[in-house]
């Protein structure tokens, strides 16, 4: 019998059941780069000008750095440095977001989600424009984050989460406690099986105390893949597909048929 913890050589591709609608409230793809001091805000502004027709809404992103000087003790002081590191660009419908920064490039879909091919194609399209204007450092990580919000029905301010989650909490019911909860929060970091063992996923579930009969529950799936060598776009896309397979495995492996029924 194979071990419970036997390691797969690589995550297996499969076709996932389609949903008519989706609980996705935000889908994010990100390319994270290593340091490169030649990247300037003027380059980020040039990118913003190049995509202004599609993303006319713009505001700056700032980073705050707090440093302490402790030698000599009598002269100890703190120094705060606030500097611009990128821009937040939005379309007029306010449902598509680009975040060009000096150390990363991010695209975000707010509802409507449309599809995975559309999101990946948009990342490629706008990353090509970003590369043409920004002399970024080496690619060091791929990121993928899907935030889902599902409706949970409470009765008397409590719910049996096993009706909604295949991976809900194991409760101490041995000595007479009920198998119900009034709220729930969980954070788990897991490996995604790959040949290089460089992919991970962070799963966050959050169900606040109910304010009514129906309460939204968050299923936040954050997948990231470390990059150790230069990659062509085709290989980057392959990595993202592995991450998508992992995300879908977490999504469909977490939710019961009752939880998925409103989206079938």
């Amino acid at each position: 019998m194979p071990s419970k913890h036997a390691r797969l050589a690589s995550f297996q591709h499969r076709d996932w059941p389609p949903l008519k609608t989706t609980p996705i409230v935000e889908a994010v793809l990100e390319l994270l780069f290593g340091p490169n001091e030649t990247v300037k805000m003027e380059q980020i502004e040039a990118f913003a000008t190049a995509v202004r027709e599609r993303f006319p809404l713009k505001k700056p992103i700032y980073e705050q750095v707090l440093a302490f000087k402790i030698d000599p003790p009598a002269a100890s002081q703190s120094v705060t440095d606030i500097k611009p590191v990128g821009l937040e660009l939005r379309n007029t419908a306010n449902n598509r977001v680009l975040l060009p920064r000096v150390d990363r490039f991010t695209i975000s879909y707010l509802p409507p989600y449309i599809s995975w091919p559309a999101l990946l194609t948009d990342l490629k399209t706008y990353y090509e424009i970003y590369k043409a204007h920004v002399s970024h450092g080496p690619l060091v990580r791929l990121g993928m984050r899907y935030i889902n919000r599902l409706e949970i029905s409470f009765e008397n301010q409590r719910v049996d989460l096993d009706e909604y989650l295949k991976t809900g909490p194991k409760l101490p019911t041995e000595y007479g406690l009920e198998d119900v909860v009034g709220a729930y929060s969980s954070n788990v970091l897991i490996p995604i099986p790959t040949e290089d063992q460089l992919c991970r996923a962070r799963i966050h579930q959050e169900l606040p105390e109910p304010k009514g009969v129906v309460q939204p529950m968050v299923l936040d799936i954050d997948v990231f893949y470390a990059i150790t060598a230069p990659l062509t776009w085709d290989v980057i896309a392959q990595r993202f597909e592995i991450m998508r397979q992992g995300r879908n495995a977490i999504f469909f492996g977490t939710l019961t048929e009752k939880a998925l029924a409103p989206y079938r």
Side-chain angles (χ1 to χ4, degrees), residues 35-228:
N36 186 349
E37 295 182 358
T38 67
V39 181
K40 305 298 181 183
M41 277 301 299
E42 289 80 6
Q43 298 175 21
I44 305 297
E45 290 285 357
F47 168 81
T49 300
V51 300
R52 183 168 53 195
E53 184 175 347
R54 288 284 308 274
F55 294 86
L57 307 179
K58 179 177 74 171
K59 67 179 181 180
I61 300 172
Y62 292 96
E63 183 178 82
Q64 179 174 305
V65 179
L66 182 62
F68 291 93
K69 296 181 179 180
I70 59 175
D71 187 29
S76 297
Q77 60 179 317
S78 62
V79 178
T80 301
D81 182 22
I82 300 177
K83 61 181 181 180
V85 294
L87 297 172
E88 178 185 293
L89 308 176
R90 291 177 178 260
N91 63 352
T92 53
N94 205 33
N95 59 12
R96 300 291 181 264
V97 185
L98 297 180
L99 300 177
R101 296 179 45 150
V102 296
D103 64 342
R104 68 193 67 191
F105 181 76
T106 307
I107 185 169
S108 175
Y109 271 20
L110 305 175
Y113 171 65
I114 303 181
S115 70
W116 163 250
L119 177 59
L120 187 63
T121 297
D122 274 354
L123 175 67
K124 181 178 187 294
T125 297
Y126 293 109
Y127 174 50
E128 291 293 333
I129 301 173
Y130 177 87
K131 284 197 302 180
H133 292 86
V134 182
S135 55
H136 65 73
L139 180 65
V140 296
R141 195 182 79 164
L142 306 178
M144 171 187 294
R145 187 176 183 186
Y146 277 70
I147 303 174
N148 304 273
R149 184 174 292 128
L150 304 105
E151 292 188 345
I152 303 296
S153 297
F154 278 77
E155 184 176 346
N156 297 323
Q157 294 190 321
R158 55 188 189 172
V159 62
D160 181 356
L161 274 183
D162 289 340
E163 296 183 4
Y164 297 91
L165 300 177
K166 301 175 185 176
T167 59
K170 292 184 178 180
L171 301 177
T173 58
E174 183 178 355
Y175 299 108
L177 295 176
E178 296 181 85
D179 192 14
V180 294
V181 301
Y184 176 56
S185 180
S186 171
N187 283 288
V188 180
L189 180 68
I190 65 171
I192 300 297
T194 60
E195 293 181 357
D196 53 22
Q197 303 175 39
L198 295 175
C199 190
R200 301 286 185 272
R202 183 174 290 107
I203 309 166
H204 173 66
Q205 299 174 36
E206 184 76 30
L207 179 63
E209 292 186 40
K211 297 180 179 179
V213 176
V214 177
Q215 179 73 26
M217 181 184 70
V218 171
L219 173 59
D220 184 347
I221 305 171
D222 185 7
V223 187
F224 44 96
Y225 205 129
I227 304 301
T228 58

